[in-house]
Amino acid sequence: MQLLTVIATVAAVASALRVNKPINQALRAPVTGASAPPSPITLPTAVAFQSVVNPLLTKVDNIQITNWMTTLTQFPERYYTSQNGVKAASWIQSTVQALTVPSGAKLTVNLFKHAKFAQPSVIARYEAATPTTLQGIVITGSHFDTAANGSPQGVGGPNPAADDCASGSVAVFETLRVLTSNGFIPGRPIEFHWYAAEEEGLYGSHEIANAYAAKGEQVVSYLNLDQSGYVKPGTTPQIGIFTDYCTSAATSFVTATAKAYSGLPVIGGQKCGYECTDNAAWYDAGYNSALAFESSNANAFPYNDQVNSDGSPLDTLDQVNVDHVAAFAKNTIGFVVELSLAGSGTQPSGTVKTTASSVVKTSAQTSSSVRPSTTVAPKCNHSECTAGPLLNKGCSACAAAVCQQDSYCCTNQWDSQCVSEVNQYCTTVTC
């Protein structure tokens, strides 16, 4: 017991997400040098298709989430060089193939085989049966491989890796399941990726992102999920939005969808300081990229990629809050549906509906590809410490600092969360 406590304490100081260790460049696919084409649309700064998204949110199913995640964690490990890692990929492929697809849509799923290691990645594409005129695709993804640092069997030893990252993988799958089973027909295609070999160096996602850039694939944006299930005891559940190895446009938009659709408060401005997960691969390739995470860095699951010295697991199913995973699925549904329809001419809803499953904010909306026509409030017509109309980010250094991290405060409303962010981001004002 004492020894395990010591080891658990050492593990707790490990960085969240992928451990920052040297990259084996021999395992990374050669960079083609191709420059990714720009997004075919300007990413919106606010949500616009609430009438489409909100009914889908009610279909997120905790039982479905639990069942899928339980089966994935029953593989002894999902290491990128192991046969269990290969079998896990095939199982994900089969679960996608088993989904019911509505008339008017088509779903394809393939294994992306990597040249330098055994485990394949999985790529599902959901699109209208008759192609639309909308250019580009929307992608969301997570990794499903595992690592077991500290194991007597080595880094490829057993690890259920429930939070890192069965939780993100199931949120991606649940997003796809909800769309297909409830008749949603995409405007532009949506892809769902499950990556191999993230833990060892983002090898799977780097090869795929570089391949897309090399063939000139237009990607509106990529959204990454990594660790989506842990809520630190004694803390309020929240969604952490990371800013490094992410583009500002994608970060701004995922902040908007998280506020509108997840039902959770958002904490922005989080950083890894290195290429900690797969959003970095898409960022490096030149695409819009965003990362939604289970919490602030400080409150993340402390034992990711870790096992005890006797090989017993730390990252187990009992560490995962299924309601929290469901919130990430809801945010991901909002993100991919909004961007799939952006510019489609579909009439967006005028207000946000508040339901039991989503705590949202109301604002007039016009098109998801155009900033809402919100009247800009006079410069600093109220204190940064008071909730009220939006503040112009040019009215003070504090307003600029908050809005750099949370654009909602300067495009929609300076609400109570914006006020709470003053103490976090401002150096000249304290509320």
Side-chain angles (χ1 to χ4, degrees):
M1 176 68 76
Q2 187 175 17
L3 176 60
L4 296 184
T5 301
V6 171
I7 289 174
T9 301
V10 172
V13 302
S15 175
L17 301 154
R18 183 186 70 83
V19 175
N20 188 12
K21 57 186 175 182
I23 301 298
N24 183 347
Q25 295 298 337
L27 289 176
R28 277 200 173 172
V31 177
T32 63
S35 177
S39 169
I41 64 168
T42 299
L43 264 61
T45 58
V47 300
F49 292 92
Q50 302 95 319
S51 63
V52 180
V53 174
N54 280 332
L56 295 170
L57 303 185
T58 66
K59 305 301 183 181
V60 173
D61 189 334
N62 283 16
I63 294 175
Q64 295 278 353
I65 289 171
T66 299
N67 290 343
W68 198 92
M69 187 165 49
T70 297
T71 302
L72 184 61
T73 57
Q74 286 173 345
F75 290 92
E77 36 71 25
R78 306 183 295 275
Y79 196 56
Y80 80 115
T81 62
S82 78
Q83 283 306 299
N84 283 321
V86 174
K87 290 175 182 177
S90 296
W91 177 79
I92 292 173
Q93 181 188 31
S94 69
T95 63
V96 173
Q97 289 172 329
L99 292 172
T100 300
V101 179
S103 174
K106 67 176 181 178
L107 174 64
T108 55
V109 57
N110 296 288
L111 298 179
F112 186 105
K113 295 186 177 180
H114 300 282
K116 298 184 178 182
F117 48 89
Q119 185 181 50
S121 296
V122 185
I123 297 178
R125 184 180 175 103
Y126 186 53
E127 59 194 316
T130 301
T132 71
T133 59
L134 297 178
Q135 294 181 310
I137 62 174
V138 183
I139 307 174
T140 185
S142 181
H143 75 91
F144 70 99
D145 65 310
T146 63
N149 294 305
S151 170
Q153 298 181 45
V155 70
N159 187 2
D163 187 48
D164 189 13
C165 196
S167 65
S169 292
V170 73
V172 172
F173 178 80
E174 181 65 3
T175 298
L176 175 57
R177 188 197 67 79
V178 167
L179 299 189
T180 60
S181 63
N182 292 282
F184 174 74
I185 308 297
R188 54 177 53 84
I190 306 170
E191 289 192 356
F192 301 81
H193 293 189
W194 292 268
Y195 297 121
E198 184 267 359
E199 298 290 6
E200 288 298 315
L202 319 185
Y203 299 142
S205 59
H206 257 282
E207 185 171 352
I208 292 169
N210 286 334
Y212 278 44
K215 66 181 181 181
E217 185 76 64
Q218 287 185 304
V219 177
V220 173
S221 186
Y222 172 73
L223 171 61
N224 193 58
L225 304 184
D226 195 328
Q227 295 177 228
S228 305
Y230 178 74
V231 178
K232 185 177 180 179
T235 66
T236 299
Q238 59 188 188
I239 288 185
I241 304 297
F242 280 61
T243 57
D244 55 348
Y245 298 97
C246 301
T247 59
S248 59
T251 298
S252 176
F253 187 61
V254 76
T255 301
T257 61
K259 288 186 172 186
Y261 297 132
S262 74
L264 296 179
V266 176
I267 180 167
Q270 302 302 297
K271 293 184 177 181
C272 284
Y274 63 98
E275 293 190 350
C276 63
T277 186
D278 294 304
N279 54 284
W282 293 91
Y283 177 87
D284 289 347
Y287 289 111
N288 275 321
S289 184
L291 170 60
F293 186 65
E294 65 193 8
S295 64
S296 66
N297 232 338
N299 290 336
F301 181 64
Y303 308 128
N304 62 309
D305 309 333
Q306 301 283 333
V307 298
N308 286 307
S309 61
D310 63 356
S312 59
L314 291 162
D315 189 357
T316 50
L317 278 173
D318 62 317
Q319 300 292 334
V320 173
N321 182 316
V322 177
D323 288 334
H324 204 53
V325 178
F328 277 80
K330 291 172 183 178
N331 180 47
T332 307
I333 290 168
F335 187 92
V336 299
V337 168
E338 290 270 352
L339 292 186
S340 177
L341 296 178
S344 65
T346 300
Q347 182 63 40
S349 57
T351 59
V352 178
K353 298 178 181 179
T354 303
T355 68
S357 61
S358 62
V359 180
V360 294
K361 304 174 181 179
T362 58
S363 61
Q365 311 288 347
T366 54
S367 167
S368 68
S369 60
V370 180
R371 182 186 295 270
S373 55
T374 307
T375 301
V376 177
K379 289 188 175 183
C380 286
N381 65 337
H382 62 82
S383 166
E384 296 95 331
C385 296
T386 303
L390 62 86
L391 290 180
N392 187 303
K393 65 182 179 181
C395 79
S396 73
C398 179
V402 170
C403 291
Q404 182 177 0
Q405 303 296 334
D406 187 350
S407 62
Y408 188 96
C409 303
C410 290
T411 59
N412 288 272
Q413 183 182 13
W414 191 274
D415 62 10
S416 59
Q417 183 163 323
C418 303
V419 172
S420 70
E421 291 168 343
V422 168
N423 290 338
Q424 183 177 1
Y425 300 124
C426 297
T427 58
T428 57
V429 178
T430 302
C431 294

